[in-house]
Amino acid sequence: MNPPRSAGVRCWWWWLNSNVTKEAITRDLEAMKSKGFSGAMLFDAGGAEQRGNSQVPPGPTFGSPEWRELYKHALKEAERLGLVLGLSIQSGWNLGGPNVTPDFAAKQLTFSEIDIAGPAKYNKKLPLPKTRNDFYQDIRVLAFPKKASEKAAPIRDLQLKSMYRELGGSAPDCRFLLDDIPGTPGEADVRLNEIRDISDCLNTDGVLTWDVPQGEWIVLRFGATLTGAHVSTYSADWHGMVIDYLKKEPFQRYWDEVVAPLIEDAGPLVGCVLQQLETDSWECGGMNWTEGFEDEFMRFRGYDPIPYLPIFAGKIVESREISNCFLADFRKTLGDCVAENHYGQFAHLAHQLNLEIQPESGGPHAGPFDAMKNLGKNDIVMGEFWVPSPHRPKPENRFFIKQSSSVAHIYGKRYVGAESFTSIGPHWDDVLWKSQKPSADHEFCSGLNMIFFHTFTCSPKEMGLPGQEYFAGTHINPQVTWWEYSGAFITYLNRCHYLFQQGRFVADVLYYYGDHAPNLVRLKEDDPAGALPGFDYDVTNEEIVLQLIVDDGLIVVPGGVQYQILVLPDHKVLSLAVLEKVDELLKDGAVVVGPKPERLVSLVGGEESQSKFKRIANKLWGVDPAPIGEKPIGKGQLIWGKSAREVLLELDRSPDCMVENAKQCVDYDYIHYTIDGADVYYVCNQTETPLAMNCVFRIQGRQPELWDPISGEIRVLEAFSQRDGGMEIPLRFTPYGSWFVVFRQSIPQNKQGTQKSNFNEYKMIQPIDGPWTLHFDPEWGGPEEVTFNDLISWTDHSNPGIKYYSGKATYAKRFDFLYPQKTTKRFWIDLGLVKDVGIAAVRLNGKELGIVWTPPFRIECTDALRAGENQLEIDVINSWRNRLIGDRELPEEKRLTKTNITVRPDWKLMDSGLLGPVVILSE
């Protein structure tokens, strides 16, 4: 009923262009406390001016003495109010800033190429490879005989395979980087034994002195230059280069110069008020080299990468297959360096000070990394999700939490956080029940348990209302019109947090997503293992697969979650280490599902590893396995040619939660946790249509209860039927509605419910029609009092002060009520339609009935309703959209609103107000 503050939402607390004041800081933190927040992530950034909007005045530069005074004030105020703070350790994102010098900046390979004829004595300056910012470091000079035959087709996608560019977009499938066109005999440009390292012949001035052997030679000069990546969306003067993510020293230097002073400022508040440090999503572009990378490659892969450098110049070394294998090893090593030397170093330094980290290190852009390995370093495992907007209209563009939750489950992390409700395009047109709630419910069913509102912008009072805002995100802060009544929406989120954060996830399937890099997990309904509908799954990476154990036939991850089966990827590529682990797991009793792996796309271990790989694969699957098959191995079972769901059903495993004639992740979705012996399911309607569904849960001998995340009401269900394999419960869902279905108390397995329905049937017994008196706020252009003969949208009214009104208006109505002769004596007021945000507060005869924000906009009024005359008051609030449109054509001095956000010509008025019909219902 009353979730603790520790379970409360948080926010990206945007200090926009550093334009904040102590007064605004205090106001924001007090507002957060009043609505049940647990804290905020202090995030200094720019970006106000993007997408055609206006810049806001600059404040002090991030990290300057003036900025630090504001920061220390925020910490002290958070301590006073019992809130926790996190800190984004820079302004904007892509870690870097004005203190980053070229030697510590992100780098990539560059090269020059010349032909030399021999025999000859060569003593000339080699061409300097292309550089950025006049920065260049030599790596090696390699020479090899020039091939006389026709040039072969280039290696496919070489720029991506060599990580000169990251793969943009939304969590792309990167497995295509393992493939190429078929190789042909003799197409190689050079054999490994033909490559000569003549680096010692190059002096510090770039002059090559070399006795050229007989024939035509290609000479490649390899070096490193800067990537050109800069900090994105920074405020004030915090511009600069991105640091090198591939080695520890650049992060250590940044920490010492930028982060350590801010931690010192926090003093005794470190670890209690200041709890987390953050960096934002990876959008650095490509980076593929660092000083000493060849040593890191040798450490991780066990062989020398230098002879393979000609591949980056477009040459095929040894063979197309070998060149592609090297590039796969190369990308995987980049990922190891990013995880260990950047995010691992971040965690190490923070943990020494009793601080946690929560970087958005898993995409959704595909940089040179294994996203799950990066996120495994986190304490709060971060992702992001978006509400529908023109920028990201489709689910696959908006939802990214399955990756974060899988990381939390397999690594044993409690918190799955998300930058939440992000959008680009619309502003102040939010319909909470229709946009924010279903988006949150989708990601709750993917494992989310900690919302960070994106975004809560700090706006000094002189910036007016709605004030300064970031160009993106759902605006949730004290400047929005509906903030006064936002507590109902926020408490729903907090109730969900409170249960989810205590739970242990229940799933049947563990899917291995491969050992290649880049690698990311897509949204839940991507369902790579074929577990849906009815069975849930986690995704795992190589690091965790190699730590799996089998306990009584169940596959157990270090995080403690148990799974029935392990599913292998369908692209038929495994590392030798994983294939050996599969063999071990089968012998120990695991059920493993997946096709025979056909390729080892790696040069690690040379021919011996290739032979061993084929030998183990043939032993497990057979030399020429049938399309569908199974085979006992040790105590376990190997199955191929079937989906995870098919296998589980054949193993007599009942679906965990199933709805006939409904499509999971489209019509409905669910997630299942256990909490102190109780089974807790969250089930939601993912459509705008009311649904009646018979849900079958894999539970027997337990009394079902219905917990309402909107109201906090808990009640025992009396309509259910137990049968072999589960319990069927008839449930009803409002548009985008959701329930917790909780099983706590034991009951006999043969006990059946005594009712046919778990829900009231409502009967309209009296309309509340006729004229209404409305009270608008004159300060915002509305009439202090006006009569509506009918309930119409404010935008349909002839009075411009109503047509373009934004804010709260109070509907008042006196009506007579006669008790019906036959009644249960329980009554509800149904408001019909409420536009546009969809929030209304209801009072009857001076008694506060509560706030409604989801359809049906219905609230019980039994205790307040009386026979005879009654006084009904309804506060309805719309967004800023209509007032901003009304002000669009007015001279600036006559506008009521003030903001940096440009009111676009294509913005349309939004229906607003109480549209009804308003009626009294009884059971």
Side-chain angles (χ1 to χ4, degrees):
M1 288 291 291
N2 298 292
R5 183 169 301 281
S6 60
V9 298
R10 301 187 187 182
C11 63
W12 276 180
W13 187 21
W14 218 259
W15 285 18
L16 190 59
N17 211 21
S18 303
N19 184 35
V20 299
T21 63
K22 289 184 176 180
E23 178 186 23
I25 288 169
T26 296
R27 178 209 60 202
D28 280 2
L29 291 172
E30 289 178 346
M32 292 178 202
K33 181 177 182 180
S34 73
K35 300 304 178 191
F37 283 57
S38 61
M41 173 60 65
L42 197 167
F43 202 134
D44 187 278
E49 76 288 356
Q50 294 189 44
R51 299 284 172 138
N53 300 303
S54 300
Q55 185 57 279
V56 301
T61 299
F62 175 81
S64 66
E66 296 81 7
W67 192 95
R68 288 164 66 178
E69 283 302 310
L70 295 167
Y71 158 71
K72 287 186 282 188
H73 175 74
L75 289 169
K76 291 175 183 176
E77 289 293 82
E79 179 189 30
R80 176 177 68 86
L81 295 166
L83 299 172
V84 300
L85 289 183
L87 174 66
S88 181
I89 61 173
Q90 69 169 98
S91 182
W93 59 82
N94 296 336
L95 188 63
N99 66 316
V100 177
T101 53
D103 50 331
F104 289 100
K107 297 175 183 67
Q108 64 186 28
L109 283 164
T110 185
F111 66 91
S112 65
E113 177 178 347
I114 61 170
D115 292 352
I116 302 177
K121 189 126 182 134
Y122 190 87
N123 188 29
K124 294 182 182 178
K125 198 166 190 175
L126 286 181
L128 186 70
K130 292 181 180 178
T131 65
R132 287 191 182 93
N133 299 68
D134 296 324
F135 178 87
Y136 177 77
Q137 291 176 332
D138 268 312
I139 298 172
R140 290 290 196 282
V141 180
L142 302 180
F144 54 88
K146 187 174 183 179
K147 186 178 178 182
S149 60
E150 185 177 340
K151 176 69 178 173
I155 294 172
R156 194 174 69 190
D157 301 311
L158 180 59
Q159 287 285 299
L160 295 174
K161 289 178 177 179
S162 53
M163 283 284 105
Y164 279 103
R165 302 202 320 266
E166 68 180 21
L167 281 73
S170 306
D173 185 342
C174 302
R175 293 182 295 178
F176 73 93
L177 296 179
L178 294 169
D179 300 322
D180 205 336
I181 63 174
T184 57
E187 68 176 336
D189 293 288
V190 60
R191 306 301 296 267
L192 284 169
N193 60 11
E194 297 175 319
I195 296 173
R196 301 189 183 191
D197 187 340
I198 57 171
S199 304
D200 289 344
C201 300
L202 187 75
N203 69 18
T204 56
D205 294 324
V207 174
L208 180 68
T209 303
W210 180 42
D211 291 327
V212 184
Q214 177 73 34
E216 294 287 322
W217 291 80
I218 292 175
V219 175
L220 290 167
R221 181 183 184 182
F222 288 96
T225 189
L226 304 182
T227 67
H230 282 71
V231 178
S232 175
T233 320
Y234 55 84
S235 70
D237 295 320
W238 194 257
H239 54 82
M241 293 180 286
V242 169
I243 73 167
D244 180 351
Y245 280 53
L246 300 180
K247 60 190 301 185
K248 292 181 179 180
E249 290 78 8
F251 188 92
Q252 182 70 59
R253 180 172 179 262
Y254 183 92
W255 179 278
D256 294 340
E257 294 183 1
V258 178
V259 184
L262 296 175
I263 294 173
E264 186 177 350
D265 284 345
L269 302 185
V270 170
C272 52
V273 174
L274 180 64
Q275 291 192 0
Q276 285 89 27
L277 302 177
E278 193 263 359
T279 55
D280 206 53
S281 54
W282 178 294
E283 298 178 25
C284 301
M287 66 174 74
N288 64 9
W289 198 264
T290 190
E291 187 176 4
F293 178 76
E294 59 271 40
D295 298 325
E296 291 288 77
F297 189 97
M298 180 70 79
R299 178 165 72 95
F300 285 113
R301 303 282 86 84
Y303 68 94
D304 186 1
I306 295 301
Y308 298 89
L309 289 182
I311 295 170
F312 297 97
K315 313 300 181 183
I316 297 175
V317 175
E318 200 70 20
S319 71
R320 185 178 297 272
E321 181 183 13
I322 285 175
S323 296
N324 270 288
C325 286
F326 167 76
L327 288 168
D329 285 340
F330 176 77
R331 294 189 301 275
K332 192 171 181 179
T333 306
L334 292 174
D336 290 336
C337 290
V338 169
E340 183 174 309
N341 296 339
H342 184 79
Y343 293 111
Q345 177 76 343
F346 189 3
H348 170 71
L349 294 173
H351 292 167
Q352 286 184 321
L353 299 171
N354 197 30
L355 289 166
E356 297 179 335
I357 69 166
Q358 57 176 92
E360 285 190 33
S361 53
H365 295 274
F369 52 70
D370 175 325
M372 298 187 78
K373 190 171 186 179
N374 283 356
L375 288 167
K377 309 296 182 185
N378 283 29
D379 300 288
I380 298 177
V381 187
M382 291 299 296
E384 63 182 81
F385 72 91
W386 295 55
V387 293
S389 70
H391 183 68
R392 290 180 181 266
K394 298 178 181 179
E396 58 266 30
N397 305 136
R398 301 196 288 120
F399 296 131
F400 307 103
I401 298 304
K402 193 62 176 174
Q403 174 172 276
S404 308
S405 68
S406 291
V407 169
H409 302 154
I410 65 177
Y411 282 90
K413 313 286 184 175
R414 180 178 182 184
Y415 296 110
V416 180
E419 168 196 314
S420 305
F421 311 121
T422 301
S423 67
I424 292 179
H427 293 271
W428 299 293
D429 63 347
D430 310 304
V431 182
L432 297 178
W433 68 267
K434 192 175 180 179
S435 181
Q436 280 67 31
K437 185 181 188 299
S439 298
D441 283 345
H442 182 284
E443 296 299 64
F444 284 153
C445 289
S446 296
L448 174 68
N449 66 25
M450 182 179 281
I451 293 280
F452 284 79
F453 286 140
H454 182 225
T455 185
F456 189 117
T457 302
C458 185
S459 184
K461 64 180 180 180
E462 56 267 27
M463 300 306 294
L465 289 174
Q468 65 183 30
E469 282 292 1
Y470 185 49
F471 82 97
T474 297
H475 307 313
I476 302 177
N477 52 47
Q479 292 90 252
V480 298
T481 54
W482 47 274
W483 178 257
E484 178 184 358
Y485 296 127
S486 64
F489 169 60
I490 293 170
T491 301
Y492 138 76
L493 297 173
N494 292 350
R495 286 191 179 107
C496 293
H497 283 181
Y498 180 55
L499 290 183
F500 297 149
Q501 289 174 6
Q502 297 176 74
R504 170 162 283 187
F505 178 58
V506 177
D508 291 285
V509 179
L510 183 64
Y511 173 74
Y512 174 53
Y513 83 158
D515 48 86
H516 54 280
N519 206 356
L520 302 93
V521 181
R522 290 167 54 82
L523 71 173
K524 178 177 179 177
E525 50 264 49
D526 200 48
D527 189 21
L532 305 181
F535 297 99
D536 213 337
Y537 69 95
D538 270 327
V539 182
T540 188
N541 62 356
E542 184 181 35
E543 183 174 54
I544 294 298
V545 163
L546 297 178
Q547 300 176 57
L548 296 177
I549 62 170
V550 181
D551 183 5
D552 195 22
L554 297 177
I555 296 156
V556 187
V557 293
V561 181
Q562 300 175 331
Y563 309 87
Q564 297 286 322
I565 62 176
L566 172 67
V567 178
L568 304 178
D570 64 4
H571 66 304
K572 302 179 182 179
V573 175
L574 288 183
S575 69
L576 177 58
V578 167
L579 184 58
E580 290 175 322
K581 184 67 179 183
V582 167
D583 189 12
E584 175 191 319
L585 292 170
L586 285 164
K587 290 174 182 175
D588 291 343
V591 177
V592 178
V593 180
K596 179 182 179 180
E598 296 176 348
R599 294 184 294 155
L600 174 61
V601 187
S602 172
L603 300 181
V604 174
E607 285 298 325
E608 182 179 345
S609 291
Q610 296 285 344
S611 299
K612 189 174 185 181
F613 180 90
K614 292 176 182 176
R615 188 167 61 250
I616 295 173
N618 287 338
K619 179 188 74 171
L620 295 179
W621 277 267
V623 175
D624 187 19
I628 300 174
E630 58 184 89
K631 183 179 178 183
I633 296 176
K635 299 177 184 177
Q637 192 81 359
L638 178 62
I639 302 171
W640 63 93
K642 298 178 182 179
S643 70
R645 190 173 195 275
E646 290 172 327
V647 170
L648 290 166
L649 292 175
E650 290 178 2
L651 293 172
D652 292 328
R653 184 72 169 170
S654 299
D656 192 22
C657 177
M658 192 68 190
V659 180
E660 295 295 334
N661 301 317
K663 189 172 182 181
Q664 189 173 349
C665 297
V666 175
D667 301 316
Y668 78 100
D669 206 358
Y670 84 95
I671 194 166
H672 179 191
Y673 293 97
T674 57
I675 304 174
D676 296 332
D679 284 275
V680 177
Y681 290 81
Y682 187 69
V683 188
C684 67
N685 176 8
Q686 281 285 291
T687 77
E688 196 176 340
T689 304
L691 292 180
M693 298 189 291
N694 288 337
C695 298
V696 181
F697 300 93
R698 192 171 60 203
I699 299 290
Q700 284 184 288
R702 309 284 285 281
Q703 173 63 53
E705 304 171 16
L706 203 65
W707 294 25
D708 187 349
I710 302 296
S711 68
E713 178 189 16
I714 295 173
R715 60 188 177 92
V716 173
L717 296 181
E718 297 180 353
F720 61 89
S721 60
Q722 298 194 74
R723 63 193 196 197
D724 288 343
M727 182 182 294
E728 183 173 344
I729 304 175
L731 296 175
R732 293 183 189 174
F733 295 84
T734 59
Y736 297 121
S738 57
W739 301 107
F740 284 99
V741 184
V742 179
F743 300 87
R744 291 190 291 176
Q745 304 300 322
S746 296
I747 58 173
Q749 291 196 10
N750 61 356
K751 180 180 178 180
Q752 306 299 334
T754 58
Q755 301 294 324
K756 292 183 178 180
S757 175
N758 290 307
F759 299 90
N760 292 329
E761 300 293 339
Y762 295 97
K763 178 183 178 181
M764 195 275 283
I765 61 173
Q766 182 176 325
I768 303 176
D769 49 20
W772 291 75
T773 300
L774 273 70
H775 300 276
F776 292 86
D777 187 345
E779 289 191 17
W780 290 100
E784 188 167 356
E785 183 175 309
V786 67
T787 298
F788 275 26
N789 291 320
D790 298 297
L791 294 176
I792 63 170
S793 171
W794 301 345
T795 57
D796 292 333
H797 204 281
S798 59
N799 184 338
I802 298 174
K803 185 181 187 73
Y804 298 113
Y805 184 80
S806 287
K808 179 174 73 175
T810 300
Y811 289 72
K813 175 78 176 175
R814 290 188 181 277
F815 68 95
D816 289 326
F817 179 69
L818 293 175
Y819 273 94
Q821 290 183 344
K822 293 183 179 181
T823 178
T824 59
K825 294 188 173 61
R826 291 186 70 194
F827 302 97
W828 286 260
I829 293 175
D830 191 309
L831 305 183
L833 289 177
V834 179
K835 300 280 190 169
D836 63 355
V837 179
I839 293 181
V842 185
R843 295 180 297 280
L844 182 61
N845 299 320
K847 180 180 177 63
E848 298 282 353
L849 300 185
I851 296 168
V852 291
W853 63 277
T854 60
F857 297 95
R858 182 173 63 209
I859 196 161
E860 187 170 358
C861 61
T862 305
D863 294 338
L865 185 66
R866 59 196 180 204
E869 186 176 82
N870 290 264
Q871 175 69 26
L872 176 63
E873 295 177 292
I874 305 168
D875 296 336
V876 177
I877 302 155
N878 71 340
S879 67
W880 282 115
R881 175 61 70 97
N882 292 349
R883 184 66 264 166
L884 288 163
I885 291 173
D887 284 358
R888 182 171 57 193
E889 308 304 325
L890 297 177
E892 190 169 340
E893 65 275 10
K894 291 188 177 182
R895 295 176 184 172
L896 301 179
T897 56
K898 181 181 178 182
T899 180
N900 63 296
I901 299 297
T902 299
V903 182
R904 296 171 53 89
D906 60 348
W907 284 17
K908 306 293 184 185
L909 291 174
M910 297 180 65
D911 286 344
S912 298
L914 177 64
L915 303 187
V918 182
V919 299
I920 296 178
L921 306 173
S922 70
E923 287 179 309

